[in-house]
Amino acid sequence: QRHLLGIEPLRPDEITTLLDLSDQYADRNRKRSPSTDVLAGMTQINMFFENSTRTQASFELAGKRLGADVMNMAMQASSVKKGETLIDTALTLNAMRPDLLVVRHPHAGAVDLLSQKVNCAVLNAGDGKHEHPTQALLDALTIRREKGRLHRLSIAICGDIAHSRVARSNILLLGKMENRVRLIGPPTLMPSGIEEFGVEVFDDMREGLKDVDVVMMLRLQKERMDGGFIPSEREYYHRYGLDSEKLGHAKEDAIVMHPGPMNRGVEIDGTLADDINRSVIQEQVEMGVAVRMATMDLLAQNLRERRTQHPEGVL
Ligand code: CP
C-alpha cells in the first residue's frame, strides 16, 4: 500500500504482517530498547484538524523512536484560520518535501482527497465518522496479545455506533479476520443497514454481551450529532453504560476495551475502567505507539522502493 487510508483496502495477510511487526515494536518498547533509524533522514508532518491526545502523541513518539524528523503543525495557529483550504495547505506542505503526512480531519473522505494531491505517504489518523485505521489495528494487536489469537472470537462493540469511525474500522478489521461481531446500542445510534457488514445487532446490553470474549465500549460522539437526538447521560448509563453487573453476562475472562477519550459514568463505570484484571485500556494506548511505528516503517519501505523505481519523482 502507498498510504494507510483505511482498513477497507487491506487484505487479511497484510493485517497480519502489520500486527507481527507491531508486536516486535511493542516488545522493543517494553524493554526500552534504543530507538531505531528506519526513518532516519525522513520528515513526518502531523496535521490534526481535530483535537487528539492519544493519536497525536503516539504518532509523534513513534516517528521519533524510528529516527524521523517530526513536525507537529499547530492547525489552530495556521493559515487555515485565514481561509486557506485543506488542499492548498497540503500542497504547501508537500512543496517542503515531507515523506509522511499524518492527518486527522473532521470530514469523512478528506484524508483520501488530500492523499491524491501529494507525493508522500499519507496516514489517516481519523476522518469524520469514516475510518480510524490505526485505532482498529492497535485494538486488534491488544486483543491478539490478550487472547492469543485474532479469529473466531465473539466481540461486542457497544454504544454510539452511528457516529464512530472506530466502530467502522473495527467492524471491517474484525470481520476480515473471521470474528463474530455484535453491535449493541440504542436504535437511534445504530446505522441503518449495518447488518450487511455481517454483524449482529442488539439494543439490550445483557442479551448482546452474553458469552462474548471482548467488550469494546464507545464514547457518545456529541460533536457529530448535528443537533439531532442526544440521549440523557443518566438514562444512557442506566441502559448502555458498562458496569460489573452487565459485564457479568460476558465470558468470565472477557476483556474490557475503550479507545478513549472516555466519559466515566456515561458509557463506562470508572472503577471498572481502572480494574486491571478486566480492563486493557492502558495496554491499548501502549500498543498505539507500536502499531504506528510498524505502519510508518512499512510505508517508508514502500516509499523508498518507489523512489528508486521513479528517481524523477513521479509516484
Ligand atoms: N482514540 C483516539 O483517537 O483518541 P484521541 O482522540 O485522543 O487521539
Side-chain angles (χ1 to χ4, degrees), residues 129-164:
K129 51 185 181 180
H130 177 228
E131 279 232 38
H132 192 351
T134 55
Q135 179 69 46
L137 287 162
L138 76 86
D139 290 340
L141 182 63
T142 307
I143 294 170
R144 199 174 80 166
R145 286 169 74 102
E146 284 289 327
K147 293 285 164 197
R149 66 182 201 275
L150 188 62
H151 59 275
R152 293 202 309 276
L153 290 167
S154 186
I155 299 167
I157 306 177
C158 314
D160 180 3
I161 310 290
H163 302 99
S164 175

Side-chain angles (χ1 to χ4, degrees), residues 48 51-56 104 125 132 135 165-166 259-261 292:
F48 280 68
N51 294 343
S52 170
T53 297
R54 282 144 284 269
T55 313
Q56 182 161 3
R104 170 171 286 190
H132 192 351
Q135 179 69 46
R165 55 195 175 209
V166 174
R292 285 154 186 144

